[in-house]
Amino acid sequence: MIPFTFFATARQDVSIAGHVIPAGWQVMGLTWQTSRDPKAFRDPTRFVPDRFAPGRDEGGGTPSAYVPQGGGPPDGHRCAGEALTQLLLTVLCARVCGHWRWTAPPQDFTLNMRLPPHLPRDRLRLTLERR
Ligand code: HEM
């Protein structure tokens, strides 16, 4: 659901896949697009948690395909709270999914690309019921 990652400023002219980003331009990593790249992920729009399981490890062969908290080496462009976040989100998911039933009513999940941040057109509406 998080459509983009870091903001940065190009310190020098950079050429990526034939596109030149001039020095001084603001740059934003668009994880919404990279997370849906079929070269990195099989059937990318399906929710398949097992795609990150050991042995399957989709995205691992494509550098910077899965970079929700930055990319590169641990001391590079990475979130300092990465390990803590993984622990907290695991606990949060276990508690929230264990005690609440989630349903998403029909809505428009497509992103409004005209607005930063690119939020779903209907935002994200959920109904939570205690189990
Ligand atoms: C889902 C939760 C989180 C996401 C998606 C996230 C994502 C990110 C991203 C994309 C960056 C920029 C990496 C880069 O390009 O340099 C970053 C940096 C950072 N994050 Fe997080 N983060 C999360 C949670 C946290 C938490 C819980 C903490 C602290 C307890 C934290 C602390 C930091 C710090 C200090 C930096 C700056 C690191 C640096 O510049 O050296 N983050 N985060």
Side-chain angles (χ1 to χ4, degrees):
M1 291 304 295
I2 300 174
F4 60 81
T5 176
F6 57 85
F7 287 92
T9 304
R11 291 189 186 159
Q12 58 196 49
D13 291 357
V14 187
S15 177
I16 301 174
H19 301 280
V20 176
I21 300 169
W25 276 33
Q26 296 283 295
V27 182
M28 195 165 72
L30 297 178
T31 46
W32 192 89
Q33 279 85 354
T34 56
S35 297
R36 283 162 182 74
D37 182 354
K39 291 197 289 298
F41 303 104
R42 267 181 272 157
D43 202 1
T45 56
R46 275 191 61 224
F47 178 63
V48 184
D50 281 350
R51 70 171 78 243
F52 299 110
R56 185 156 163 171
D57 192 24
E58 283 184 42
T62 309
S64 301
Y66 184 66
V67 287
Q69 288 177 282
D75 60 348
H77 255 296
R78 296 283 282 262
C79 169
E82 202 166 333
L84 177 64
T85 306
Q86 288 174 10
L87 177 68
L88 291 178
L89 287 180
T90 305
V91 173
L92 180 81
C93 287
R95 286 195 66 85
V96 170
C97 296
H99 297 290
W100 298 85
R101 182 175 292 108
W102 300 46
T103 43
Q107 60 193 289
D108 188 352
F109 289 110
T110 58
L111 294 182
N112 183 350
M113 304 304 269
R114 300 176 71 93
L115 294 176
H118 310 316
L119 297 172
R121 289 183 192 280
D122 286 343
R123 302 302 172 102
L124 176 62
R125 291 184 290 121
L126 297 171
T127 306
L128 298 179
E129 290 170 274
R130 256 201 182 284
R131 285 182 186 275

